[in-house]
């Protein structure tokens, strides 16, 4: 097990290096002059040259990347010009809000996705199976940002049950109850697609397990059906389900970008959208790299958990 974990961690290193290279090149390929965008009406030739020199934009592209990479390896992601503060500080401050949103959404999609998958597998071709399968496929197909707008229109504008935006109320907010009220709509919206995916794949894994001989033997012993499903079948299906949960955890974290924009949730996603509009390159690079690293590490943890449950797995 220890050797497998070390092997997986070593395999992540080139992935992370490739990730930083892709992020850097994408930002470098964006048309326009960052110095001119930063200076605005003060963009004289002399000022543009000074900004390019201070940001290292006057150096060859390869040298710019190596300098940036060496800095982030030391924990220095640069300084945001639009916020006038270190990039890492800003991203970490915003990341807590993103973790709250994505964590709540992942909890919802894992719980409902697994339960729906088990329920539909146990009642294959029944009316509940057909209804829940259609609902899961619909959830997979509906864009989250569009569903978020519909949720705001229904529950905030017309019914006025829940707040439409923000993390806390502007006046008199700040408590746990206030946070939960603001969290319901964005977390539920963010979890819909992942719930559909988890439900479909859990159902497939359960159906395959339920055809195995050891399940027939457990039923022949007279065990209650709920024990057969949850203690025997689902335990065996976990080897297949856990990687799906890992992928969807990364999807939920990445999907928080546009959900935060729709609901004005003050996380990394909203920060990135605002940074893009201001062409704050270092802030964009830092935010994307940190979110992407978290995505990679989540999938790494899922691989390790899968191997721990079934050492026969070789990935």
């Amino acid at each position: 097990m220890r050797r497998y974990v070390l092997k997986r961690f070593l395999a992540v290193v080139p992935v992370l290096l490739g990730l930083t290279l892709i992020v850097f090149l994408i930002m470098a390929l964006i048309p326009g002059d960052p110095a001119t965008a930063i200076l605005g009406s003060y963009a004289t030739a002399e000022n543009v040259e000074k900004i390019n020199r201070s940001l290292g934009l006057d150096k060859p592209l390869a040298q710019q990347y190596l300098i940036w990479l060496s800095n982030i390896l030391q924990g220095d992601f640069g300084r945001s010009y639009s916020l006038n503060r270190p990039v890492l500080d800003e991203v970490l401050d915003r990341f807590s809000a993103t973790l709250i949103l994505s964590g709540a959404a992942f909890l919802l999609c894992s719980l409902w996705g697994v339960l729906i998958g088990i329920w539909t597998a146990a009642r294959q071709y029944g009316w509940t199976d057909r209804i829940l399968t259609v609902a899961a496929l619909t959830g997979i197909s509906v864009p989250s940002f569009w569903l978020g707008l519909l949720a705001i229109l229904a529950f905030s504008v017309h019914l006025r049950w829940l707040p439409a935006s923000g993390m806390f109320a502007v006046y008199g907010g700040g408590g746990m109850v206030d946070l939960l009220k603001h969290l319901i709509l964005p977390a539920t919206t963010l979890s819909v697609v992942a719930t559909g995916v988890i439900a479909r794949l859990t159902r497939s894994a359960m159906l395959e397990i339920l055809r195995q001989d050891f399940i027939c033997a457990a039923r022949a012993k007279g065990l209650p059906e709920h024990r057969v499903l949850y203690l025997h079948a689902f335990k065996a299906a976990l080897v297949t389900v856990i990687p799906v949960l890992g992928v969807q955890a990364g999807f939920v974290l990445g999907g928080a970008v546009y959900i935060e924009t729709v609901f004005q949730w003050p996380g990394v996603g909203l920060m990135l959208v605002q940074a893009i509009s201001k062409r704050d390159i270092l802030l964009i690079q830092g935010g994307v790299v940190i979110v992407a690293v978290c995505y990679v590490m989540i999938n790494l943890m899922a691989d390790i958990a899968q191997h721990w449950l079934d050492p026969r797995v070789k990935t």
Side-chain angles (χ1 to χ4, degrees):
M1 181 67 183
R2 191 175 300 174
R3 183 180 177 183
Y4 177 81
V5 172
L6 179 61
K7 181 180 176 182
R8 295 301 298 158
F9 269 101
L10 291 176
V12 163
V13 174
V15 174
L16 295 178
L17 288 175
L19 185 147
T20 60
L21 180 60
I22 292 172
V23 171
F24 179 82
L25 290 178
I26 289 175
M27 295 306 303
L29 291 174
I30 293 178
D33 182 13
T36 303
I38 291 172
L39 292 170
S41 59
Y42 299 97
T44 63
E46 183 180 355
N47 289 338
V48 167
E49 185 180 353
K50 287 180 180 178
I51 290 293
N52 285 331
R53 194 182 308 116
S54 65
L55 295 177
L57 298 176
D58 57 336
K59 295 180 174 62
L61 198 61
Q63 189 176 353
Q64 291 181 40
Y65 170 71
L66 292 175
I67 293 172
W68 177 68
L69 180 62
S70 64
N71 287 337
I72 64 173
L73 289 176
Q74 300 173 55
D76 180 13
F77 285 78
R79 193 173 188 86
S80 165
Y81 82 87
S82 62
L83 301 173
N84 194 27
R85 66 176 306 199
V87 168
L88 186 59
D89 292 349
E90 178 65 18
V91 174
L92 293 180
D93 285 349
R94 297 283 195 128
F95 203 68
S96 59
T98 297
L99 282 181
I100 291 172
L101 174 58
S102 56
F106 179 68
L107 184 64
L108 287 174
C109 70
S110 299
L111 179 63
W112 286 109
V114 168
L115 288 178
I116 291 172
I118 295 173
W119 184 275
T120 53
R123 293 158 179 79
Q124 188 181 16
Y125 303 131
W127 64 271
T128 54
D129 178 29
R130 297 178 189 278
I131 292 174
L132 291 174
T133 298
V134 170
L137 291 173
T138 303
I140 296 172
S141 306
V142 174
S144 295
F145 66 88
W146 182 75
L147 186 62
L149 294 174
L150 289 183
I152 292 173
L153 186 63
F155 296 102
S156 299
V157 177
H158 291 302
L159 297 176
R160 298 185 180 180
W161 289 352
L162 296 167
S165 63
M167 189 172 176
F168 294 103
V170 178
Y171 300 105
M176 180 60 68
V177 175
D178 189 32
L179 173 62
L180 291 176
K181 287 172 62 179
H182 283 78
L183 185 61
I184 290 173
L185 284 185
T188 303
T189 302
L190 183 56
S191 68
V192 168
V193 174
T195 299
V197 174
I198 293 171
R200 292 294 297 160
L201 294 177
T202 301
R203 179 181 183 274
S204 299
M206 287 291 294
L207 287 175
E208 185 177 348
I209 296 298
L210 288 172
R211 299 188 186 103
Q212 301 296 320
D213 292 338
F214 75 94
I215 296 296
C216 296
R219 284 171 171 162
K221 291 178 181 178
L223 292 177
E225 187 64 17
H226 70 273
R227 292 192 64 185
V228 174
L229 285 174
Y230 293 99
L231 295 183
H232 295 275
F234 181 62
K235 184 178 179 181
L238 268 178
V239 177
T240 304
V241 173
I242 280 182
V244 176
L245 294 178
V247 171
Q248 293 309 306
F251 170 81
V252 166
L253 184 62
V257 172
Y258 44 85
I259 293 299
E260 287 179 1
T261 304
V262 172
F263 290 94
Q264 291 296 292
W265 187 268
V268 176
L270 183 60
M271 179 205 74
L272 287 174
V273 173
Q274 293 169 345
I276 290 170
S277 65
K278 298 173 182 176
R279 288 189 60 84
D280 196 334
I281 294 177
L282 292 177
L283 186 57
I284 299 169
Q285 289 175 332
V288 172
V289 166
I290 291 175
V291 170
V293 168
C294 290
Y295 184 98
V296 172
M297 297 308 294
I298 288 171
N299 283 277
L300 174 63
M301 294 300 106
D303 285 345
I304 293 173
Q306 183 187 25
H307 183 79
W308 178 69
L309 285 170
D310 188 358
R312 296 172 299 171
V313 176
K314 301 295 181 184
T315 55

